[in-house]
Amino acid sequence: MRTVLLWAGLLAVGGCATRPEAGAPPRESLKAVVESLAGEATRLSPGTDLSLAVMDLRTGETASVSGLEPHISASSAKVFWVAAALGQRDLATVAPLAEKVFRTSDNEASGEVIDLVGGPDAINVYLRGLGLGHTALTKWNYGRERWATNSPRVMGRDNYFCADDMVSFLARLDRRELLEPEPTARLLKWMELTPRDGCGGWLGTRLPASARASLQHKGGWLPPGCCGDDARYNVLNEVGLVTLPDGGRYAVAILASRGPDWPKQAFFVERASCVLYRHLAKDAALDCGEAVARDGGPAPVVLEPGAPAPNYDCE
């Protein structure tokens, strides 16, 4: 069952909140936008398991749907691990690995980052210390085998997180509450090394060029055929910080999995990112794929008998 959580923060000027102009139509709430997107997901990407959370960092207004539901984290969790390493090691030690992690989502470099922190158990201690109670690293076997002894294993052998935990983390990163100023700045710059659009860059695909250029994010994906059980995986996550035209920012986590049609699931994530931007930027003219959405999303991929399945990995 989906749950919706909403907290609202008001910016006060001279002790009172700004009132809307007389006669102006009421502005749709962030909560309503998120709920509408959750409804769209069932139509545009049937079978997808969706969690979505967003925080307007200008006001503190936050909304989420299934925000505490665990999702397989895939590579999106790497932003946690690099932050943990920066809290313990100097920049010169972390930088060569972090650049690989964000530029190409290098799995072996990610394993070395985990080792810098002290292994999977140390990562989980770090996460608990931040109050991220629905997130854990269970195993990472790239380069060598690593298993955590303190993971609750909510998702069996898989690493997991939830949308609310990620948005809380990103908001605190943006407020410079997690790290010293220089490591914070470097981590945010590394988050700009990721793709701007397309595979691995779904969060930016339908955003205006200026927002794409400044996007700080980390995608995570386990596409069809990758992991032996498409009914469990088909993971497509996007988490990040987006800058608005007025200089304000928002933190977002869009977690999608188990969708049987990968292009439809990817289109929904791209569209959801755009619709959230359109609302927060008050850019009513922005086209978020309305024509494709009206048609029910991308056309299904039809394969000839015996034809190999498409390779949806970012290679």
Side-chain angles (χ1 to χ4, degrees), residues 177-201:
E177 295 175 359
L178 299 180
L179 298 164
E180 294 297 320
E182 187 177 2
T184 298
R186 289 293 293 276
L187 176 52
L188 291 172
K189 289 301 293 183
W190 290 330
M191 290 170 70
E192 295 178 9
L193 296 175
T194 53
R196 308 286 88 196
D197 55 20
C199 195

Side-chain angles (χ1 to χ4, degrees), residues 18-79:
T18 303
R19 295 182 179 180
E21 295 180 10
R27 181 169 179 260
E28 189 178 22
S29 70
L30 187 58
K31 173 180 181 289
V33 174
V34 167
E35 289 178 324
S36 177
L37 285 170
E40 266 201 5
T42 63
R43 180 177 66 87
L44 295 178
S45 187
T48 287
D49 182 5
L50 172 71
S51 291
L52 192 160
V54 59
M55 179 186 290
D56 185 343
L57 299 174
R58 300 167 300 184
T59 66
E61 184 185 15
T62 307
S64 69
V65 60
S66 299
L68 295 177
E69 184 173 330
H71 276 250
I72 294 169
S73 54
S75 292
S76 290
K78 293 172 182 177
V79 67

Side-chain angles (χ1 to χ4, degrees), residues 195-258:
R196 308 286 88 196
D197 55 20
C199 195
W202 301 280
L203 199 66
T205 295
R206 295 183 178 272
L207 299 186
S210 59
R212 277 201 310 274
S214 59
L215 181 63
Q216 296 163 328
H217 77 118
K218 185 69 188 78
W221 57 97
L222 298 171
C226 81
C227 310
D229 185 357
D230 289 350
R232 177 174 176 81
Y233 296 101
N234 289 9
V235 170
L236 200 164
N237 300 324
E238 270 286 17
V239 306
L241 293 158
V242 184
T243 301
L244 296 161
D246 66 2
R249 285 155 66 78
Y250 63 92
V252 62
I254 306 172
L255 316 182
S257 61
R258 302 190 176 100

Side-chain angles (χ1 to χ4, degrees), residues 76-282:
S76 290
K78 293 172 182 177
V79 67
F80 293 136
W81 309 342
V82 172
L86 286 171
Q88 295 189 19
R89 299 299 189 99
D90 59 83
L91 273 171
T93 301
V94 179
L97 298 172
E99 289 176 4
K100 294 179 182 179
V101 168
F102 287 101
R103 192 180 298 279
T104 63
S105 204
D106 188 292
N107 286 326
E108 292 202 5
S110 299
E112 293 181 59
V113 168
I114 293 170
D115 295 340
L116 289 180
V117 182
D121 282 5
I123 292 286
N124 289 330
V125 170
Y126 170 78
L127 295 170
R128 298 296 176 271
L130 296 180
L132 307 183
H134 302 270
T135 297
L137 170 58
T138 300
K139 67 174 175 66
W140 196 257
N141 293 340
Y142 294 93
R144 67 178 183 82
E145 191 173 87
R146 303 170 185 83
W147 286 88
T149 64
N150 60 354
S151 168
R153 299 199 179 192
V154 169
M155 301 203 75
R157 296 161 57 94
D158 291 306
N159 307 321
Y160 61 92
F161 65 166
C162 72
D164 282 0
D165 275 5
M166 178 55 80
V167 164
S168 170
F169 173 88
L170 291 171
R172 292 165 70 183
L173 176 65
D174 189 72
R175 293 194 297 260
R176 277 60 178 174
E177 295 175 359
L178 299 180
L179 298 164
E180 294 297 320
E182 187 177 2
T184 298
R186 289 293 293 276
L187 176 52
L188 291 172
K189 289 301 293 183
W190 290 330
M191 290 170 70
E192 295 178 9
L193 296 175
T194 53
R196 308 286 88 196
D197 55 20
C199 195
W202 301 280
L203 199 66
T205 295
R206 295 183 178 272
L207 299 186
S210 59
R212 277 201 310 274
S214 59
L215 181 63
Q216 296 163 328
H217 77 118
K218 185 69 188 78
W221 57 97
L222 298 171
C226 81
C227 310
D229 185 357
D230 289 350
R232 177 174 176 81
Y233 296 101
N234 289 9
V235 170
L236 200 164
N237 300 324
E238 270 286 17
V239 306
L241 293 158
V242 184
T243 301
L244 296 161
D246 66 2
R249 285 155 66 78
Y250 63 92
V252 62
I254 306 172
L255 316 182
S257 61
R258 302 190 176 100
D261 189 312
W262 185 260
K264 283 184 177 290
Q265 186 165 271
F267 170 75
F268 173 77
V269 171
E270 293 170 354
R271 174 167 166 78
S273 173
C274 181
V275 169
L276 291 169
Y277 179 93
R278 181 168 66 191
H279 170 76
L280 291 167
K282 301 180 183 178

